[in-house]
Amino acid sequence: MENQYAAARYDIISTMERLKDMDLRGLTEYMANIGEKPFRAKQLFKWLQSGAGSFGDMTDLSKDLREKLGRDAVIWCLKKEKEQVSRDGTRKYLMETEDGFFVETVFMKYRYGNSVCISSQAGCAMGCRFCASGVNGLERDLTPGEMTDQVLLAEGAAGGSAGHIVIMGTGEPLANFDNVKTFIENTHDPAGRGMSMRNITVSTCGIIPGIKRFTEELPQVNLAVSLHAPNDDVRNEIMPISMRYGIDELLCCCRAHAEKTGRRVTFEYALIKGLNDSDRHLSELAGRLRGMLCHVNLIPLNDVIESGLRGSGRERAEEAKIFLESRGIPCTVRRELGADIDAACGQLRLGKTGAAAH
Ligand code: SAH
């Protein structure tokens, strides 16, 4: 099978040290093993996290050390393959892993700053009906360095720095918890980028044990939950994960998160014609969310040809916003960015050709 071949090839390539997959502690150990002082690890970490292109650029390290690293280690875990620029300025990047998987990253410009949306897995196992990311299933988890490289390569190519990182591209981040956590901690580490945890958002389809762990271990990071339905019946139709984790327990867990962290949970709700967009659905949703520190992000569903589902349209989304707000639920309608290059939500698909199916 193609994937097994790729995995085997990955093992061979990774005999080179992948420095960006390490946190500062790991890097310090690695440096100690080659007889270097801890402050050298800190210097190296800074270079890696700030996107240095080669060991030669790391001018505060000795020449011998730079040469040794050049022989034993790699800087980049990903290679940028392709860029697509949307009419609205959104840029989508296709990047390739060492073992030949393709991942997509989106760079967005907002009035208040730039945002990068990264993938946490190559492919996705969750199988949500409306989402293009999972059509080929899960290929593999991405490593911390592969997530860092998505940010760095997108910033380099777009010519701007990201003030926000959203882990909302392909994959289910809470199904790759350890790697996502290391990536977030590396990004937050003052020895590197030093980004505030509050400028990072993780979006999950609702894996309850993952959310509980997230509340404990990453309480300052923003939590977004893809809800898309007001009850189990509707949710079961579109999100297989819902059969495993029911909406009552999910919302209970979100309430606990908001209470424990004092931070608002975002619920993503893509409006799908005839399925979850009636006043009755919205009223049920408002009932369930009543009193919770939360916010609903209404998404006009983007077309995914193979899903057979149709979006309710922007106008209905605006009506839904008024409807929910009148019932005390804070709401926004998500701005669609990059729809013309298939970079909008759910449209990131694997494969070298990006959106070839369209
Ligand atoms: N697995 C995570 C992150 C990836 S999905 C999660 O489920 O949250 C990122 C967001 O895109 C989710 O809110 C998802 O529900 C939304 N999305 C997926 N397909 C979409 C589509 N066709 N139109 C609009 N939003 C979509």
Side-chain angles (χ1 to χ4, degrees), residues 120 124 126 128 130-133 167-173 202-206 224-228 239 268-270 299-304 334 344-347:
S120 54
C124 183
M126 297 300 128
C128 299
F130 47 82
C131 181
S133 298
I167 310 180
M168 226 185 246
T170 304
E172 170 47 46
V202 167
S203 179
T204 177
C205 64
V225 175
S226 296
L227 196 61
H228 304 314
M239 301 180 73
E268 286 145 293
Y269 197 102
I299 308 171
L301 185 84
N302 300 308
D303 292 335
V304 172
R334 183 183 281 175
C345 291
Q347 299 190 315

Side-chain angles (χ1 to χ4, degrees), residues 132-144:
S133 298
V135 290
N136 298 326
L138 176 66
E139 294 178 326
R140 76 161 164 81
D141 289 337
L142 297 181
T143 67

Side-chain angles (χ1 to χ4, degrees), residues 72-204:
D72 298 348
V74 290
I75 293 188
W76 294 100
C77 301
L78 289 181
K79 190 167 82 210
K80 181 170 69 72
E81 273 288 313
K82 206 169 99 181
E83 176 185 62
Q84 278 175 284
V85 184
S86 154
R87 280 190 294 274
D88 60 34
T90 298
R91 290 152 190 267
K92 181 173 79 167
Y93 299 97
L94 188 68
M95 310 201 188
E96 189 178 2
T97 65
E98 274 184 83
D99 50 341
F101 292 112
F102 288 93
V103 299
E104 288 175 314
T105 308
V106 181
F107 187 96
M108 290 160 288
K109 291 192 168 138
Y110 289 101
R111 276 185 300 275
Y112 54 82
N114 303 323
S115 233
V116 176
C117 175
I118 65 164
S119 298
S120 54
Q121 296 178 314
C124 183
M126 297 300 128
C128 299
R129 249 179 82 195
F130 47 82
C131 181
S133 298
V135 290
N136 298 326
L138 176 66
E139 294 178 326
R140 76 161 164 81
D141 289 337
L142 297 181
T143 67
E146 287 165 342
M147 291 180 240
T148 303
D149 277 358
Q150 290 179 62
V151 178
L152 292 172
L153 290 169
E155 286 181 323
S161 69
H164 285 85
I165 295 174
V166 294
I167 310 180
M168 226 185 246
T170 304
E172 170 47 46
L174 299 187
N176 182 20
F177 200 108
D178 292 338
N179 286 336
V180 165
K181 184 179 174 190
T182 303
F183 161 73
I184 290 174
E185 287 175 343
N186 281 352
T187 304
H188 173 65
D189 196 322
R193 182 183 288 262
M195 178 178 272
S196 163
M197 293 277 188
R198 292 168 180 239
N199 290 358
I200 303 175
T201 299
V202 167
S203 179
T204 177

Side-chain angles (χ1 to χ4, degrees), residues 44-89:
L44 179 58
F45 185 78
K46 178 93 197 164
W47 284 115
L48 293 168
Q49 291 290 318
S50 59
S54 73
F55 292 111
D57 293 343
M58 304 181 182
T59 45
D60 53 3
L61 305 181
S62 72
K63 191 146 176 285
D64 278 358
L65 176 57
R66 282 184 271 160
E67 280 172 8
K68 173 159 181 50
L69 292 172
R71 283 190 303 275
D72 298 348
V74 290
I75 293 188
W76 294 100
C77 301
L78 289 181
K79 190 167 82 210
K80 181 170 69 72
E81 273 288 313
K82 206 169 99 181
E83 176 185 62
Q84 278 175 284
V85 184
S86 154
R87 280 190 294 274
D88 60 34

